[in-house]
Amino acid sequence: MYVDDPARLGESRLPDGRLLAWAEWGPSDGVPVVLCPGAATSRWLGFGAGVVEALGVRLVCVDRPGLGASTPAPGRTLSDFAEDVRRLCVLRGLGHPAVVGNSQGAPFALACAAEGVASALAVVSGADEVAAPEHAASLAAELRGLVERTACDPAGAEEFFGGFTAHAMWDMIMAGSPGCDLAVYRDPDFAHAYRRALEEGFGQGAAGYARDTVLAMGRWPLALERIAVPADIWYGERDTGHSPDNGALLATRVPGAHHRVVPGIGGALLWTHAEPILTSLLGKATTDR
């Protein structure tokens, strides 16, 4: 199994009255690991079925504002999300958790590390900072056009991304994934879980996804060079959708980050290699403590 249903679901009320929704897997007294999930997916899509229990991990997946069951926060920033997670850690007794960022969740996880919320970091198949000048020459024409549009007219770009749907996202994922990933995505149980998470992610409309995408596709106002926690930067060798260079540049921007490229897999890495990802992360979190 790649995924299973959460053991616990809930919403926590933040000081400003908004609700931040979450799902948990593993023992309630386990080592806290916060997951910043991928594009438009809700708290329902975790990873590491069976692995989190065996490793004693309390995995907490969080709906970003406007996605799933979390209250929208128009105009929010990457740092705003890090502050939301900081408050959730107090409310849920998570202490100083390790943080995983998958796909479009990567810049939000990096924000948690840059803002001192995380004790250790794993970026897995992470959306790279495609607006960084170093990547300009290597971007496909369509992606380069979206990056330029986001830079010149962020409000217009956000409106454009607001036209996406759960169905369109699923079709885009299936059309752009290599066969090694499709073997995971077409697994009946995984496909059901992924599509359910997309439907819930778009449950309040597309505004939450649109805001996430503009934040991810623009320049990141994060001091990556000041991240002081141990970090792993994981990519599948056959991943062509998340980073122009499979995270090589990103790894040099995070001090001491360990760059890992795994052969034989692409963007489905989080689900096919949950055990080594979590084992390495737990070792780093323990060392940091």
Side-chain angles (χ1 to χ4, degrees):
M1 292 178 60
Y2 299 109
V3 292
D4 55 5
D5 288 345
R8 296 169 294 277
L9 287 170
E11 296 88 32
S12 295
R13 191 168 297 279
L14 300 175
D16 64 2
R18 289 182 296 119
L19 292 177
L20 201 65
W22 47 265
E24 292 190 359
W25 293 257
S28 58
D29 61 349
V31 179
V33 174
V34 169
L35 171 62
C36 301
T41 54
S42 75
R43 57 183 172 168
W44 274 86
L45 190 64
F47 73 103
V51 175
V52 294
E53 291 82 5
L55 294 178
V57 168
R58 179 186 176 188
L59 180 66
V60 185
C61 186
V62 181
D63 282 346
R64 290 187 287 278
L67 281 78
S70 287
T71 307
R76 60 186 165 86
T77 67
L78 295 174
S79 293
D80 289 339
F81 177 74
E83 188 59 29
D84 284 351
V85 173
R86 190 193 310 276
R87 290 165 175 160
L88 181 68
C89 288
V90 174
L91 293 169
R92 297 289 300 153
L94 302 177
H96 199 204
V99 176
V100 176
N102 175 239
S103 188
Q104 199 173 83
F108 297 93
L110 286 160
C112 289
E115 299 286 343
V117 177
S119 63
L121 172 69
V123 170
V124 185
S125 306
D128 208 337
E129 189 179 8
V130 289
E134 297 90 338
H135 287 317
S138 60
L139 299 182
E142 183 177 5
L143 177 57
R144 187 182 309 115
L146 289 172
V147 169
E148 292 172 354
R149 181 174 184 174
T150 300
C152 295
D153 181 16
E158 193 163 338
E159 183 178 357
F160 168 75
F161 293 124
F164 276 63
T165 65
H167 183 74
M169 286 294 297
W170 176 256
D171 286 348
M172 184 171 65
I173 292 163
M174 298 301 284
S177 297
C180 53
D181 290 346
L182 292 176
V184 177
Y185 300 153
R186 287 174 176 160
D187 174 85
D189 290 334
F190 185 88
H192 172 74
Y194 204 134
R195 299 195 75 161
R196 178 180 61 187
L198 285 172
E199 291 289 348
E200 188 168 276
F202 280 100
Q204 301 182 67
Y209 161 72
R211 185 61 185 166
D212 277 2
T213 304
V214 166
L215 291 173
M217 201 164 282
R219 292 308 309 268
W220 298 349
L222 302 174
L224 300 184
E225 73 282 359
R226 299 172 75 176
I227 290 177
V229 299
D232 284 326
I233 310 293
W234 294 84
Y235 284 88
E237 181 184 34
R238 300 188 62 189
D239 187 350
T240 59
H242 290 107
S243 171
D245 62 359
N246 270 13
L249 174 63
L250 179 59
T252 67
R253 299 175 63 195
V254 179
H258 191 171
H259 185 214
R260 302 170 182 261
V261 178
V262 180
I265 194 63
L269 181 64
L270 181 70
W271 297 283
T272 60
H273 288 69
E275 185 169 7
I277 289 168
L278 283 171
T279 298
S280 179
L281 184 64
L282 291 179
K284 294 179 184 300
T286 300
T287 300
D288 185 64
R289 289 194 186 98

